[in-house]
Amino acid sequence: MNSQSASIKEQILNIVGNDLADIEAALRSNLTPHLDLVREVAGHILFAGGKRLRPLLMFICARICGSDTPQNKRFSTIFEYLHAATLLHDDLVDDALLRRGKPAAQRVFGNETAVLTGDFLLARALSIAADTQHIEVIRIIADVTEQLSQGEIQQLHNRGRIDLTEAEYMEVIHRKTAVLIEGACHSGAIVAGAAGHEAMALKCYGQRLGMAFQMADDLLDYTSDTTGLGKSVGADLREGKLTLPVIIALKAASRKDRRWMEGIIQEKTFTETDFHQFVDLMEKYGGIAGTRDHAAKYVSDAKSCLEGFPPSSDKALLELIATYALHRKA
Amino acid sequence: MNSQSASIKEQILNIVGNDLADIEAALRSNLTPHLDLVREVAGHILFAGGKRLRPLLMFICARICGSDTPQNKRFSTIFEYLHAATLLHDDLVDDALLRRGKPAAQRVFGNETAVLTGDFLLARALSIAADTQHIEVIRIIADVTEQLSQGEIQQLHNRGRIDLTEAEYMEVIHRKTAVLIEGACHSGAIVAGAAGHEAMALKCYGQRLGMAFQMADDLLDYTSDTTGLGKSVGADLREGKLTLPVIIALKAASRKDRRWMEGIIQEKTFTETDFHQFVDLMEKYGGIAGTRDHAAKYVSDAKSCLEGFPPSSDKALLELIATYALHRKA
């Protein structure tokens, strides 16, 4: 899977390399806070090698609907600023150690500055959204923010709950990840002035893609290593955060193995040996494979959402990104 | 001043009692989060007896421009939600003990939930702002949020700086208080479809009023008692936060007294006797009177901004609110 993942990523980067460079430049030029410190903290999270998935999706979704302007690249920064803002607030919630391979912002600059810089980035997103002159985009940002904050609170209060159901997990990841990616795709269609059915199709694509992305993310927390991931491996387990691979495995496990796994989840401290044994049990009881199957189904659904669009390089690109969601390494 | 303050407040409440009741109802009905916990945390800050100054101003500013609809009361909740969101994030920054006479939200529900509920309230504000269909209102919210977050960060990093200048203080209070009140007044004019000069006049009124309000607030931190204020007295001094009364007094103080005052500011821990002596020195060196003079000037300027409006009960009310800013007790 390693080399397959690398090759898909390379393919995508070959196609969108120039667009990504433009987006990168727009991210910098739209970041004009009055204070150097704000620029530094915002830069800490923004320029640490994010994938720029959300702005890229917004930009391509606008283009597949017939609009390809430099303005769209500027607009697409909305969803990276919004994403970075939520990362700043979420890392505070989780008190994460690492983010994008660097110490998390709240650990470098303090909780207060991290929270306020998150607010600043949200304001930047909003300001650029106002420039689109589309109230509909504002409505999407409001909805994304509302869902995200509630999803995070929900997740926070689900911590350590070993009886979390698959349906509850799906609700949380929809709110905390899918709505943002869905919003980026939908907004791309809106700024392009797309027809209603096209906008809905791209929104649907984004939603499925977002779900698959989060499932892959939750898998990586057990199957990757810290260097590749850019954040601490096993973090979910340490936070008592039940994700799909664990939910599936717990359901299938023998009584004895389930009890042992539940003990690890509730204790939150464990040795490296415990962790490997935990992952082995997840493998044994189909948690890893089952999650991959779920993600594959969402990826396939995401591609189906695009069926109404005639063949084009952008359609192929959106399909490739969906495939990448499943095979990514970090 | 005590009885004068009470009588101005009563006069205002007599005039706007019914409008405030409608605003109160709108604040409740627009708060429809999915999760009970979010409603509880949001309610903790929202329904603890705030003055509702910002929604009231938006509503009256719309009415003085000729628009008086129930819709405007719903719109006016934007600025109370926004205000509550910033209080949640700011109390976290200050780790405040009390807010509106109750334990601050982050102390009851934890930092994480307080931050995320702040995000949720900001999203509610945005969602209602989108309903106004005025991109200009969105731009105001973006600007307010951008200024506020930067103002708070600035204040945070000014802590303990005994060389803070009056100009620096003015910049901070403009950002952290005046822009929000200015935004509420300006937005009222916008939703009313007011002419440009009327919108600018109300924006100008709000800005001056906001500056006066913050100065009065900073005075109360030294001259009020905790029961009346609903938050801990002397909090600014404990946080090493230099406000105008201190800046003025330090500038005028003898070398010996200045050294002693600087010591208190930098130590941050002090006895009640120290605190009273500190306040006595502020009195002695004109910090209290000087701040009151500054605030009075802003109140008078606020009233001047309204000169273009013909006499009306709303104009009289806006003038009365400006007078109240100066004489309020809490």
Side-chain angles (χ1 to χ4, degrees):
Chain A
M1 195 180 94
N2 198 327
S3 68
Q4 190 185 358
S5 150
S7 99
I8 296 174
K9 194 172 176 179
E10 273 164 31
Q11 276 184 64
I12 297 175
L13 289 177
N14 278 341
I15 303 170
V16 299
N18 290 340
D19 296 325
L20 278 175
D22 292 343
I23 289 172
E24 210 62 28
L27 281 171
R28 282 189 193 275
S29 71
N30 282 323
L31 195 70
T32 49
H34 181 93
L35 298 169
D36 285 346
L37 179 69
V38 179
R39 187 194 296 270
E40 186 187 342
V41 184
H44 179 86
I45 180 96
L46 270 173
F47 304 111
K51 288 180 288 294
R52 314 305 188 203
L53 174 70
R54 294 151 192 82
L56 188 62
L57 285 170
M58 176 165 172
F59 174 72
I60 303 169
C61 286
R63 199 164 62 185
I64 202 176
C65 294
S67 169
D68 183 10
T69 68
Q71 187 76 319
N72 286 352
K73 281 179 184 149
R74 180 165 179 267
F75 292 157
S76 78
T77 61
I78 294 170
F79 288 90
E80 190 69 15
Y81 289 138
L82 209 51
H83 178 53
T86 67
L87 292 182
L88 283 170
H89 287 187
D90 297 354
D91 281 348
L92 176 98
V93 171
D94 301 331
D95 200 15
L97 291 167
L98 292 175
R99 168 67 71 184
R100 293 179 173 172
K102 301 207 298 188
Q106 89 285 359
R107 297 213 158 230
V108 182
F109 303 99
N111 280 347
E112 305 90 341
T113 303
V115 168
L116 295 169
T117 304
D119 293 348
F120 171 80
L121 286 173
L122 202 145
R124 284 309 299 151
L126 203 49
S127 178
I128 298 164
D131 291 343
T132 69
Q133 298 284 338
H134 286 279
I135 281 283
E136 201 48 37
V137 173
I138 307 296
R139 225 178 271 289
I140 287 171
I141 294 178
D143 186 53
V144 164
T145 309
E146 207 166 308
Q147 297 288 339
L148 264 167
S149 57
Q150 293 197 70
E152 281 289 331
I153 290 182
Q154 213 168 349
Q155 181 168 279
L156 190 65
H157 289 268
N158 284 342
R159 273 190 196 171
R161 269 193 53 206
I162 49 166
D163 61 338
L164 196 77
T165 65
E166 208 176 292
E168 287 176 306
Y169 166 83
M170 293 294 178
E171 192 186 347
V172 166
I173 70 166
H174 177 254
R175 292 185 148 173
K176 62 167 235 169
T177 305
V179 288
L180 189 57
I181 294 181
E182 174 187 321
C185 295
H186 192 191
S187 298
I190 290 168
V191 299
H197 69 283
E198 286 184 334
M200 286 313 292
L202 291 170
K203 182 180 149 110
C204 150
Y205 163 85
Q207 195 268 343
R208 269 56 170 192
L209 177 66
M211 296 296 281
F213 243 89
Q214 187 57 51
M215 288 176 198
D217 211 58
D218 292 340
L219 269 179
L220 284 169
D221 202 64
Y222 289 100
T223 58
S224 179
D225 55 81
T226 302
T227 319
L229 197 56
K231 54 188 175 186
S232 312
V233 128
D236 289 345
L237 193 55
R238 239 187 312 275
E239 288 162 18
K241 197 192 281 179
L242 249 70
T243 56
L244 192 55
V246 183
I247 293 171
I248 293 175
L250 279 179
K251 212 171 156 186
S254 72
R255 198 168 150 153
K256 181 171 153 276
D257 285 339
R258 191 173 62 239
R259 286 231 174 124
W260 183 84
M261 291 173 82
E262 289 174 351
I264 294 283
I265 295 163
Q266 290 178 320
E267 272 174 38
K268 291 175 190 173
T269 50
F270 44 81
T271 64
E272 206 168 325
T273 316
D274 286 339
F275 182 70
H276 288 301
Q277 193 178 336
F278 193 93
V279 175
D280 286 347
L281 286 173
M282 287 206 307
E283 291 268 17
K284 178 178 170 188
Y285 290 112
I288 306 289
T291 302
R292 206 160 272 147
D293 288 348
H294 266 84
K297 176 72 172 66
Y298 274 96
V299 165
S300 145
D301 283 354
K303 290 177 183 172
S304 300
C305 297
L306 302 175
E307 276 169 10
F309 290 93
S312 71
S313 57
D314 283 325
K315 182 176 175 177
L317 182 56
L318 291 176
E319 289 168 341
L320 198 61
I321 290 173
T323 304
Y324 168 68
L326 203 56
H327 296 285
R328 74 205 183 89
K329 253 196 84 216
Chain B
M1 194 181 93
N2 197 327
S3 67
Q4 190 186 357
S5 151
S7 101
I8 296 175
K9 193 172 177 180
E10 272 163 31
Q11 276 184 65
I12 296 176
L13 289 177
N14 279 339
I15 303 170
V16 300
N18 291 339
D19 297 324
L20 278 175
D22 292 342
I23 289 171
E24 210 62 30
L27 280 171
R28 281 187 195 276
S29 70
N30 282 323
L31 195 69
T32 50
H34 182 92
L35 297 170
D36 285 347
L37 179 69
V38 179
R39 188 195 296 271
E40 188 188 341
V41 184
H44 180 86
I45 180 98
L46 270 173
F47 303 110
K51 288 179 288 292
R52 315 305 189 203
L53 174 70
R54 293 152 192 83
L56 188 62
L57 284 170
M58 176 166 174
F59 173 73
I60 302 169
C61 285
R63 199 163 62 184
I64 203 176
C65 294
S67 169
D68 183 9
T69 69
Q71 188 75 316
N72 287 353
K73 281 178 183 149
R74 180 166 178 266
F75 293 157
S76 79
T77 62
I78 295 170
F79 288 90
E80 190 69 15
Y81 288 138
L82 209 53
H83 178 52
T86 65
L87 292 182
L88 282 169
H89 288 188
D90 296 354
D91 281 348
L92 176 100
V93 170
D94 301 331
D95 200 17
L97 290 167
L98 293 174
R99 168 67 70 185
R100 292 178 174 173
K102 300 205 299 187
Q106 88 284 0
R107 297 213 157 229
V108 182
F109 303 99
N111 281 348
E112 305 90 340
T113 304
V115 169
L116 295 169
T117 304
D119 293 348
F120 171 80
L121 286 173
L122 202 146
R124 285 308 299 150
L126 203 49
S127 177
I128 298 165
D131 291 342
T132 69
Q133 299 284 340
H134 286 280
I135 281 283
E136 202 47 38
V137 173
I138 307 297
R139 223 178 273 288
I140 287 171
I141 294 179
D143 186 52
V144 164
T145 309
E146 206 167 310
Q147 297 287 341
L148 264 167
S149 57
Q150 294 196 69
E152 282 289 331
I153 289 182
Q154 211 167 353
Q155 181 168 280
L156 190 64
H157 289 268
N158 284 342
R159 273 190 196 172
R161 269 193 53 206
I162 49 167
D163 61 338
L164 197 76
T165 64
E166 208 176 293
E168 288 176 305
Y169 165 83
M170 294 293 178
E171 191 186 348
V172 166
I173 70 166
H174 177 254
R175 292 184 149 173
K176 63 167 232 166
T177 306
V179 288
L180 188 57
I181 294 181
E182 173 186 322
C185 295
H186 192 190
S187 297
I190 290 168
V191 300
H197 70 283
E198 286 184 333
M200 286 314 292
L202 291 170
K203 181 180 149 112
C204 149
Y205 163 84
Q207 196 267 343
R208 268 57 171 191
L209 178 65
M211 297 295 281
F213 243 89
Q214 188 58 51
M215 289 177 196
D217 211 58
D218 291 340
L219 269 179
L220 284 169
D221 202 64
Y222 289 101
T223 59
S224 180
D225 54 80
T226 301
T227 319
L229 197 56
K231 53 187 175 186
S232 312
V233 126
D236 289 345
L237 193 55
R238 241 187 310 275
E239 289 162 19
K241 197 192 282 178
L242 248 70
T243 56
L244 191 55
V246 183
I247 293 170
I248 293 175
L250 279 179
K251 210 170 157 186
S254 71
R255 196 170 154 151
K256 182 171 152 275
D257 286 338
R258 192 174 62 239
R259 286 234 173 123
W260 183 83
M261 291 173 82
E262 289 174 350
I264 293 283
I265 295 163
Q266 290 178 322
E267 273 174 37
K268 291 176 192 172
T269 49
F270 44 82
T271 64
E272 204 168 325
T273 316
D274 285 340
F275 182 69
H276 289 299
Q277 193 178 336
F278 193 92
V279 175
D280 286 347
L281 286 174
M282 288 207 304
E283 292 268 17
K284 179 178 169 188
Y285 290 113
I288 307 289
T291 301
R292 206 160 273 146
D293 288 348
H294 266 85
K297 177 73 173 67
Y298 275 97
V299 165
S300 146
D301 284 353
K303 291 177 183 173
S304 299
C305 297
L306 302 174
E307 275 169 11
F309 290 93
S312 71
S313 57
D314 283 325
K315 182 175 175 177
L317 182 56
L318 291 177
E319 289 168 341
L320 199 60
I321 290 173
T323 304
Y324 169 68
L326 203 56
H327 296 286
R328 72 205 184 91
K329 254 196 85 215

